Amino acid sequence: MQTVTTLPDLRQAVDELRRFDSKRDTVALVPTMGALHEGHLTLVREAAKRADRVVVSIFVNPRQFGPNEDLDAYPRQLAEDSAKLEAEGVALLWAPGPEAMYPAGYATNISVSSVSDGLCGADRPGHFDGVATVVCKLFNQVRPDMALFGEKDWQQLAVIRRMAGDLDLTQPHVDAIYGVPIVRDPDGLAMSSRNAYLSPEHRAAAAALPRAMDEAIARIRDGQEVGPTLAMLEDEVLGAGFSSVDYAELRDADSIALLDHDNGKARLFVAARIGGTRLIDNKPV
Ligand code: PAF
């Protein structure tokens, strides 16, 4: 595996990857912020099934963190991550520093409305602008044939699909944007780099979140009213040791519009805090 840290080196390396064989090899990009866990490695394996060559980017993107968020504390472990990617047969690791991504004078922002409204868009102002901006840059830098993202960040995936479609990035740069199902620990907690912040007690209590979501989904499927069902979910999560619930909402899977009933493509979205760590999850109804 080759590691590159500047755009000219990246461009040359991707060109070389494409010339690997007599035919033009396809390239899949898996964008990440590092601190790689089994969820990321699942994305890499899915990418390897779909493309000839896999490029992974690791960049802790300052533009998607709010002023009081965990940018400085966000786990950075490039050597460990690099070894994991090497073991997965990844062809290229794109690991730019902040100055390579946002050189002095950088002034462009991409803002995607509608699907960014509500949920994490409401709780984390500017977050999805930061995501859309960096992902657009990554697409332009790597010029992959496809890109893969985890469905744990379902709203992020909706924002990226909208951005790529609206800015005509889907041709020629990225023909396909794939969502890969959430990878969960045996107790049901969705894997996340932020789970590393949890104390053993909070980690054990955190499994109450997906459990309460399953119960709420079963009630909604049974025809029970959405409002009281979500209120019950909140009570259960708070009773299990979470300090707050930022949101627990039923939304349309594609448009992210708020729903008060199951419209056939409803998804339950929850963000809740435990021991200072904000966890998010989503499941289909
Ligand atoms: O999901 C993430 O890890 C990040 O939001 C992404 C897509 C790599 C953009 O920084």
Side-chain angles (χ1 to χ4, degrees):
M1 182 178 78
Q2 193 186 347
T3 298
V4 290
T5 58
T6 67
L7 192 51
D9 287 350
L10 170 76
R11 287 259 155 86
Q12 190 184 340
V14 174
D15 284 350
E16 278 163 16
L17 286 186
R18 291 195 186 286
R19 270 185 239 116
F20 182 67
D21 224 334
S22 51
K23 68 176 176 46
R24 176 190 175 281
D25 279 1
T26 52
V27 169
L29 171 66
V30 179
T32 81
M33 297 204 300
L36 303 179
H37 51 67
E38 206 45 38
H40 296 110
L41 300 181
T42 301
L43 291 178
V44 168
R45 289 171 203 143
E46 288 299 320
K49 283 185 206 160
R50 293 175 163 89
D52 299 311
R53 315 287 262 151
V54 179
V55 177
V56 175
S57 63
I58 294 183
F59 178 64
V60 182
N61 176 31
R63 295 176 76 94
Q64 68 187 75
F65 287 79
N68 299 317
E69 293 185 353
D70 55 344
L71 173 62
D72 292 337
Y74 200 85
R76 287 161 174 86
Q77 44 189 56
L78 192 60
E80 210 178 301
D81 288 346
S82 176
K84 287 181 184 170
L85 296 175
E86 179 107 51
E88 293 294 331
V90 167
L92 181 65
L93 169 60
W94 169 223
E99 63 297 331
M101 191 60 84
Y102 304 117
Y106 182 89
T108 300
N109 187 48
I110 295 177
S111 188
V112 182
S113 53
S114 176
V115 284
S116 292
D117 297 344
L119 301 176
C120 292
D123 282 354
R124 305 181 66 189
H127 170 67
F128 286 124
D129 287 12
V131 170
T133 301
V134 81
V135 171
C136 182
K137 282 178 69 71
L138 289 167
F139 285 176
N140 284 323
Q141 290 163 348
V142 179
R143 299 174 184 166
D145 299 284
M146 65 194 79
L148 293 90
F149 297 87
E151 289 183 351
K152 182 171 153 291
D153 298 295
W154 186 276
Q155 189 181 16
Q156 163 172 286
L157 186 54
V159 168
I160 290 166
R161 286 199 164 118
R162 182 85 255 168
M163 179 272 295
D166 288 354
L167 298 182
D168 305 316
L169 298 182
T170 42
Q171 290 287 345
H173 291 354
V174 194
D175 286 337
I177 294 175
Y178 293 109
V180 177
I182 297 176
V183 180
R184 296 180 180 277
D185 281 335
D187 65 359
L189 186 68
M191 287 195 183
S192 163
S193 303
R194 290 191 168 97
N195 292 355
Y197 299 153
L198 298 172
S199 67
E201 294 72 29
H202 287 140
R203 170 62 194 81
L209 178 64
R211 239 184 356 253
M213 291 175 73
D214 286 340
E215 286 165 20
I217 287 168
R219 284 189 203 109
I220 293 168
R221 282 191 194 143
D222 262 9
Q224 295 190 28
E225 272 186 77
V226 170
T229 300
L230 297 182
M232 225 183 286
L233 179 155
E234 288 199 26
D235 287 347
E236 271 177 54
V237 166
L238 294 174
F242 280 76
S243 55
S244 61
V245 176
D246 289 359
Y247 58 72
E249 292 177 357
L250 199 66
R251 294 209 169 227
D252 181 276
D254 300 325
S255 70
I256 315 293
L258 195 58
L259 299 174
D260 60 5
H261 65 283
D262 178 13
N263 69 348
K265 51 189 181 89
R267 249 183 132 83
L268 175 59
F269 293 86
V270 182
R273 293 174 194 266
I274 183 161
T277 300
R278 185 175 182 276
L279 301 180
I280 60 170
D281 202 346
N282 69 87
K283 286 175 180 249
V285 173

